[in-house]
Amino acid sequence: MSSNAHRPWTRDGWGLGGALLFLVGALLPIGFSLGYAAAYSVGWTGLMADGFTLAHWRAVLGTPVVWWSLGWSVYLAATVVVLTVMLALALALYLRRPLEYGALSYVIYFPLALPATVAAFLVFQLFAESGYMARIALALGVIEQASAFPSVVHDRYGIGILLAHLGLTVPFFTLLFVQIYNGERVDALKGTAFALGASRWQALRRITLPLLLRRSRTNIALLFIATLGSYEIPLLLGRQSPEMLSVLTLRKFQRFNLGDRPEAFIVALLYTAFVLSVLVYTFRYARPSEVTT
C-alpha cells in the first residue's frame, strides 16, 4: 500500500489546490472580462456610459460587416483545418519512415519554432507582387513585369493567410499523426486485416483513417478555434474587407471614437459565444466514431 493511502488528504489537497489555482488564475479573470464586456456593451460602465441601452447591440447585429467577418473567419478556419488534416495525413502515411529516421525527422521541427508573425512575413516576402517568387519568375521570363505575378497577399480568397497557417500547422499534425499511428499499432491491425482478406484501400478507410482522426479529434477542434482567433497573420496578409473577427474587434477598440468601443466588446462576446458552442459540441456531444474492421 502506498504512503498516500495513509494520507488521503495529500492527494485531495493537491487536487483542491489545483482547482483553486485554476479558479483564481483562469476562470475568475475570464468571467470578470466577459462580465465587464457585457456591462460595457449595454451602457452600464465605460467612459460614455449613460445608462442601460441596447442601441449598440442593435447597431452591431443590424450591420452586415460583423456577419461577413464571422463567415470569413469560419471559412478560413475550416479551410485551414481541412487542408491541414489532408496534407498531414498524406505526409504521415507516405513519409512515415523518413519522418522517424531520416533528415526529414529534424527538418520537420523547424516550422514549429516560427512565431506567427515571422510566418506571415515569410509569406509576404515570397508571394507578394514584389516578392522573391515574382522576381524569379521575371528573371526566368515567365512574366514580363513583376506586377503581373499573381499575388496571394491581400487577395480575395485569403490564400496568403492559408499558406502562413498551413506552414505552421501541417508539420505539427504530421508529427501528431505519426505518433498516433505508432501508439495505436496500426501496422499490426492492418496486418490482421490483410490476413482476413482486406485490401489496402479497405484497411486505410476502415482502420487507419478512423483511428487517426478519432484520436486527434480534440486537436483538430482546437486548431479550428486557434485559427478562428488568430490575429497577426490575417492582420499582415488579409484584406481590410472582409476581415477576421479578431482584427475587426481590435480595430473597433482602437478607434479614436470611444462610441465604437461597446461594439468592439459586442463582437468579442459574439466570438466567445461561438467558440464556446464549438467547445461544448466537441467535448460533450460529439461522439467518437467507431473503428470498424
Side-chain angles (χ1 to χ4, degrees):
M1 186 177 294
S2 66
S3 58
N4 285 341
H6 298 288
R7 294 177 297 174
W9 55 270
T10 302
R11 183 178 59 189
D12 295 340
W14 279 108
L16 180 60
L20 289 175
L21 182 63
F22 180 71
L23 175 65
V24 174
L27 294 184
L28 284 181
I30 294 176
F32 174 79
S33 300
L34 293 177
Y36 181 78
Y40 208 115
S41 68
V42 295
W44 278 343
T45 186
L47 297 176
M48 301 182 66
D50 53 357
F52 179 80
T53 177
L54 293 177
H56 302 301
W57 280 90
R58 287 193 294 266
V60 171
L61 298 179
T63 179
V65 174
V66 174
W67 302 112
W68 273 109
S69 293
L70 177 60
W72 180 246
S73 301
V74 172
Y75 153 72
L76 289 174
T79 305
V80 167
V81 168
V82 171
L83 294 178
T84 296
V85 171
M86 293 176 61
L87 294 174
L89 279 174
L91 291 174
L93 294 179
Y94 294 103
L95 297 176
R96 185 164 54 87
R97 294 301 180 189
L99 285 169
E100 290 179 323
Y101 304 107
L104 192 58
S105 62
Y106 299 97
V107 176
I108 194 71
Y109 286 97
F110 290 164
L112 302 180
L114 294 179
T117 305
V118 176
F121 272 116
L122 285 176
V123 172
F124 186 88
Q125 291 293 334
L126 287 173
F127 299 104
E129 289 183 353
S130 59
Y132 292 111
M133 299 303 294
R135 297 176 187 274
I136 293 174
L138 181 63
L140 296 176
V142 179
I143 56 178
E144 296 182 354
Q145 52 185 356
S147 60
F149 185 78
S151 175
V152 297
V153 175
H154 305 148
D155 63 302
R156 60 183 302 183
Y157 300 109
I159 296 177
I161 298 174
L162 297 176
L163 289 175
H165 277 293
L166 292 176
L168 298 174
T169 57
V170 170
F172 173 80
F173 272 85
T174 301
L175 295 171
L176 176 66
F177 287 142
V178 170
Q179 183 181 17
I180 295 174
Y181 189 98
N182 295 330
E184 295 295 328
R185 299 181 177 179
V186 176
D187 278 338
L189 295 174
K190 289 168 60 179
T192 302
F194 294 149
L196 295 175
S199 64
R200 290 185 178 275
W201 168 245
Q202 289 175 321
L204 175 67
R205 185 171 59 88
R206 308 188 69 172
I207 296 177
T208 306
L209 293 182
L211 264 176
L212 296 180
L213 294 177
R214 187 185 64 179
R215 293 299 185 189
S216 61
R217 182 188 58 190
T218 302
N219 298 83
I220 293 173
L222 293 178
L223 170 62
F224 177 82
I225 293 172
T227 306
L228 193 71
S230 64
Y231 176 74
E232 296 91 347
I233 292 177
L235 177 67
L236 295 173
L237 301 176
R239 304 176 68 184
Q240 292 186 347
S241 179
E243 52 191 355
M244 293 189 70
L245 281 177
S246 55
V247 181
L248 175 66
T249 301
L250 198 59
R251 182 173 59 81
K252 282 183 173 291
F253 187 81
Q254 292 178 335
R255 279 181 177 173
F256 181 78
N257 183 8
L258 296 179
D260 287 334
R261 287 199 174 184
E263 297 184 5
F265 282 115
I266 293 173
V267 176
L269 289 172
L270 292 175
Y271 166 79
T272 303
F274 183 78
V275 169
L276 287 178
S277 63
V278 174
L279 286 174
V280 169
Y281 175 80
T282 302
F283 293 103
R284 184 172 182 179
Y285 294 107
R287 296 179 178 179
S289 58
E290 296 294 333
V291 180
T292 58
T293 59

